[in-house]
Amino acid sequence: MDFRKKSKMLLNQSNGIRITTKQIAGWQRIPNTSIQSKPLIIYHNAFDATPSELAAHLEKVGAVSPQWTYTMYNTTHYHSTTHEVLGVVSGRARLCFGGEGNPNRFEPTVGKGDLIIVPAGVGHRLLVDLDAHQNAFKMLGAYPPGKQWDMCYGKPGEEEKAGTIKKLAWFHLDPLYGRNGPVLHV
């Protein structure tokens, strides 16, 4: 299916959104994008939807299964068992990808309507909720069907977990756009 046409929610055309991609080398015990060489991807202003509308859309596309709506943890962590898709459904925040002490870290500001593809192994954390007075920054977290996320912190003893990342399949459908989306062209 090709989901570039507008559905119940406002879905921007895949060729009209702004895309940011970032390769982040491994740093200390955080593998980042070094294992699979798939970049962190942000689709800026890609959708306008409530959490339930975005969840329904992602389920319809079928590349990921929504699992939660929450903010991002403020401790650097990564997942070794799955890639992660984060749809910002309210507020704005500055995030850190790659590890806060990493000289090559990436600290974008994201806001409602942004979709973030976080490859397995990429360290990430919330730096600042820019609407903290309203506790407004929320994301919808989704993962490929059948995948469960784990929590790794770049601590000694996690090397074996990090080694499993190379076996993870990449997306066969774009989580937002189906058969024709940015995640398929990296």
Side-chain angles (χ1 to χ4, degrees), residues 40 42 46 69 74 87 108 129 132 148 168:
L40 172 81
I42 302 175
T69 300
N74 61 6
D129 180 340
Q148 294 297 317
L168 293 175

Side-chain angles (χ1 to χ4, degrees), residues 28 37 57 71 88 102 134 176:
Q28 294 186 350
S37 298
H57 181 79
T71 189
V88 181
N102 183 346
Q134 300 169 357
L176 199 58

Side-chain angles (χ1 to χ4, degrees), residues 7-107:
S7 63
K8 185 175 180 183
M9 65 178 218
L10 177 63
L11 184 62
N12 293 332
Q13 297 296 319
S14 62
N15 60 359
I17 63 173
R18 187 170 59 90
I19 305 292
T20 297
T21 61
K22 185 75 173 174
Q23 291 284 355
I24 307 168
W27 180 75
Q28 294 186 350
R29 292 183 187 92
I30 301 171
N32 293 316
T33 63
S34 66
I35 294 176
Q36 287 194 341
S37 298
K38 297 295 186 183
L40 172 81
I41 308 169
I42 302 175
Y43 304 13
H44 300 277
N45 298 309
F47 66 89
D48 184 12
T50 66
S52 60
E53 289 169 337
L54 179 59
H57 181 79
L58 294 176
E59 287 173 356
K60 186 176 179 184
V61 172
V64 292
S65 298
Q67 293 187 12
W68 52 264
T69 300
Y70 193 64
T71 189
M72 184 181 280
Y73 294 127
N74 61 6
T75 300
T76 296
H77 64 284
Y78 70 89
H79 309 296
S80 69
T81 55
T82 185
H83 307 297
E84 184 172 40
V85 175
L86 303 170
V88 181
V89 292
S90 67
R92 297 174 308 120
R94 198 172 86 217
L95 307 177
C96 179
F97 294 98
E100 61 268 20
N102 183 346
N104 296 310
R105 69 189 174 275
F106 178 49
E107 295 184 359

Side-chain angles (χ1 to χ4, degrees), residues 130-145:
L130 296 171
D131 297 317
H133 61 283
Q134 300 169 357
N135 197 23
F137 181 67
K138 298 274 188 276
M139 302 177 301
L140 178 82
Y143 307 87

Side-chain angles (χ1 to χ4, degrees), residues 146-177:
K147 296 292 184 183
Q148 294 297 317
W149 48 274
D150 64 348
M151 295 292 284
C152 300
Y153 301 96
K155 294 183 177 180
E158 293 177 342
E159 295 83 5
E160 188 174 327
K161 285 183 175 184
T164 65
I165 294 169
K166 64 183 159 205
K167 298 176 186 173
L168 293 175
W170 191 242
F171 296 93
H172 298 291
L173 291 171
D174 186 275
L176 199 58
Y177 294 104

